[in-house]
Amino acid sequence: MTGEPRIGDVFGEMLRDAYAVHVGAGRRPLAGGRLPRPVIEIIERDDGLVNGAPAAHYLEGPEHWQPYDHRAVDRVRGETLDVGVGGGRIARELQARGVPVTGLDTSPGALRVSRHRGVRDLVLGTVDEHAAGDCRYDTFLLLGNNLGLFEGRERAPRFLAALAAMARPGAQIVAQGTDPYGTTDPLHTGYHERNRRRGRLGGQLRLRLRYRELGTDWFDYLVCSADELAELVHGTPWRLVDVDDRDAPYYLATLRLAE
Ligand SMILES: C[S@@+](CC[C@H](N)C(=O)[O-])C[C@H]1O[C@@H](n2cnc3c(N)ncnc32)[C@H](O)[C@@H]1O
């Protein structure tokens, strides 16, 4: 035993348990072997910071959503790819509205939960893998902070190129991000500074997720300002056409395929 987690489908295992708690059936984590306890997503940052966040919101219906989730869904038009579909909370609502939606995710367990909850069209893989096929979309959704999948300066142009390869003329990306720079907490401002000294974006987080005995590999996840986003988009096939920051520090960015 090393004390290190076993690499596995952390998000999928966590969602499976959160779903069991949500519906009140199946394997549920118990405190003291009796009382149900909430399922918590454990997020480790590479400076040693550990955060826990309840996983239940990945399964919640529109009545519990944040206002920007509603505004994101209202922007959807045409054939839609929900990138990082998770437990399918957004895809289910789109289906109910008659929108043709495909859920893409790298987590087999998340896809199982989405399928169980009625999401019909699901694909396992990354955007690069999916772009190798012949599917085409009018809208790409990156919700639940999934602007983070841009990762940083190196990955963002390649990620955006993969989406462009699957885009119909006039296609849009609707992505939810968080501006990380409003804080005065030295733990975070110091982390941003350290990142910049190493040539990274301030909010280019190096993370791994943990659940029970499982962990992911370390990966980059981007929290950036709208100005940084504009720089990342510059020179790609996309134009940043709108930033809705009514719920700051959270924002919705809309990118349109350049003509
Ligand atoms: C923060 S959750 C957001 C889930 C969902 N969009 C929501 O709003 O509830 C991130 C999701 O993205 C998936 N994911 C992570 N990396 C991915 C990648 N490279 N390509 C596709 N999905 C990915 C995870 O498995 C997880 O389901």
Side-chain angles (χ1 to χ4, degrees):
M1 262 195 269
T2 63
E4 280 297 296
R6 184 161 63 80
I7 301 297
D9 182 8
V10 173
F11 203 84
E13 288 294 299
M14 180 192 78
L15 266 191
R16 183 183 69 172
D17 286 2
Y19 182 56
V21 170
H22 187 71
V23 297
R27 184 188 87 176
R28 273 157 288 169
L30 301 173
R34 281 191 70 170
L35 300 172
R37 63 177 167 77
V39 173
I40 305 292
E41 179 176 22
I42 300 293
I43 305 165
E44 278 187 84
R45 201 169 68 178
D46 66 345
D47 59 344
L49 178 71
V50 179
N51 266 321
H57 74 97
Y58 289 120
L59 302 168
E60 280 174 346
E63 63 281 11
H64 299 294
W65 288 359
Q66 296 298 319
Y68 50 78
D69 282 329
H70 289 280
R71 296 202 297 278
V73 163
D74 288 343
R75 286 182 179 212
V76 166
R77 52 174 178 70
E79 198 81 42
T80 297
L81 184 68
D82 186 353
V83 180
V85 64
R89 66 186 182 99
I90 303 287
R92 275 159 47 106
E93 173 62 15
L94 291 175
Q95 273 185 190
R97 293 184 184 197
V99 174
V101 58
T102 300
L104 178 74
D105 210 291
T106 48
S107 160
L111 293 178
R112 271 195 296 276
V113 170
S114 269
R115 189 170 298 113
H116 211 263
R117 301 180 78 212
V119 181
R120 290 187 289 270
D121 191 7
L122 293 163
V123 176
L124 177 68
T126 62
V127 293
D128 309 85
E129 287 159 357
H130 194 44
D134 53 10
C135 296
R136 295 293 175 267
Y137 301 96
D138 303 291
T139 299
F140 300 91
L141 287 178
L142 291 163
L143 301 185
N145 241 353
N146 253 355
L147 183 67
L149 296 181
F150 282 31
E151 292 183 16
R153 287 193 187 94
E154 202 180 307
R155 173 68 180 148
R158 289 188 282 127
F159 187 88
L160 287 167
L163 296 190
M166 293 187 274
R168 291 205 179 120
Q172 60 173 353
I173 301 171
V174 181
Q176 190 255 308
T178 304
D179 186 322
Y181 302 125
T183 179
T184 53
D185 182 340
L187 186 62
H188 297 301
T189 55
Y191 187 81
H192 299 156
E193 245 341 284
R194 172 172 163 262
N195 259 342
R196 289 193 192 99
R197 279 199 303 274
R198 297 161 68 208
R200 295 160 63 87
L201 289 164
Q204 188 170 348
L205 310 181
R206 188 93 183 136
L207 304 176
R208 72 175 173 182
L209 306 180
R210 304 280 296 263
Y211 185 65
R212 289 165 59 92
E213 85 287 16
L214 295 181
T216 64
D217 285 318
W218 291 95
F219 61 94
D220 282 348
Y221 199 72
L222 183 65
V223 282
C224 68
S225 66
D227 286 346
E228 288 173 325
L229 176 63
E231 279 176 40
L232 292 174
V233 172
H234 187 74
T236 75
W238 298 92
R239 280 183 302 120
L240 179 61
V241 293
D242 187 61
V243 176
D244 166 354
D245 61 0
R246 268 182 276 172
D247 302 307
Y250 311 111
Y251 61 86
L252 277 181
T254 303
L255 283 62
R256 185 140 303 126
L257 191 66
E259 281 157 21

